[in-house]
Amino acid sequence: MTRSATFSRLTNETKVQIALSLDGGPISLEESIFKDRPKVDHAAQATSSQVISVETGIGFLDHMLHALAKHSGWSLIVECIGDLHIDDHHTAEDVGIALGQTFHKALGHVKGVKRFGTGFAPLDEALSRAVVDLSNRPYAVVELGLKREKIGDLSCEMIPHVLESFAQGAAITMHVDCLRGFNDHHRAESAFKALAVAIREAISSNGTNDVPSTKGVLF
């Protein structure tokens, strides 16, 4: 079964479209929203198993979503045109929501998977931990301890909010903590990589077609 989906979220503030395959492989969008200008490829990668292309207009957000996709084993295309003349809030938040909703759609009914996942990821002096439950109960606790005002063009206050928005759209329970580290770039990136490792485990097969819940349903 192919666990893939496309999704569009169009508002007066942002235009977001996403293609996602949870198991990698080829993916595409029907039509790029960047048809009138050249695409940027700083967060793009194509291998025999994955296709990744992320362009939100916020370079550091692109970098984090590229890392999330790479280490989750996803193929992912994200395109966003947002009101960056105001600030980064609407773009970062809406991309997080839309990515979560695309994930939820691609995953479908939660059955035949491990449901729970745990991930640790270091980046030099930084170490982060993530724990995920495909619970259909959206909840997020994100503690990264970031000190800077911005990393690149992304406000540090928006980094946990992107993760919270993803959890809301994906309908998952998620705890992400940076356990140590002094470089905010390293702290943030290790958090996204730890989340990727946790998600990859949670969505992996448990060898059955059963619903991993005493309730008998998770959807």
Side-chain angles (χ1 to χ4, degrees), residues 76 87 118 152 162:
L76 175 67
D87 68 5
T118 303
V162 168

Side-chain angles (χ1 to χ4, degrees), residues 96-114:
I97 293 169
L99 180 58
Q101 291 174 322
T102 313
F103 175 90
H104 187 66
K105 183 179 176 183
L107 184 63
H109 291 314
V110 180
K111 60 180 181 178
V113 295
K114 291 182 180 178

Side-chain angles (χ1 to χ4, degrees), residues 77-161:
I77 300 172
V78 178
E79 295 185 346
C80 177
I81 298 174
D83 55 3
L84 294 175
H85 59 282
I86 296 175
D87 68 5
D88 59 343
H89 185 101
H90 297 144
T91 293
E93 179 180 67
D94 289 2
V95 166
I97 293 169
L99 180 58
Q101 291 174 322
T102 313
F103 175 90
H104 187 66
K105 183 179 176 183
L107 184 63
H109 291 314
V110 180
K111 60 180 181 178
V113 295
K114 291 182 180 178
R115 174 182 167 179
F116 300 102
T118 303
F120 290 84
L123 180 53
D124 296 347
E125 87 297 342
L127 174 66
S128 290
R129 171 188 60 201
V131 184
V132 166
D133 177 9
L134 307 179
S135 59
N136 204 41
R137 293 191 305 278
Y139 198 90
V141 177
V142 183
E143 296 182 358
L144 304 185
L146 303 176
K147 301 288 193 289
R148 289 165 57 177
E149 181 181 353
K150 302 179 81 173
I151 304 176
D153 291 326
L154 182 61
S155 304
C156 280
E157 68 178 5
M158 289 307 301
I159 295 173
H161 189 55

Side-chain angles (χ1 to χ4, degrees), residues 158-175:
M158 289 307 301
I159 295 173
H161 189 55
V162 168
L163 295 174
E164 292 160 358
S165 299
F166 170 76
Q168 188 72 31
I172 64 175
T173 298
M174 189 175 86
H175 293 250

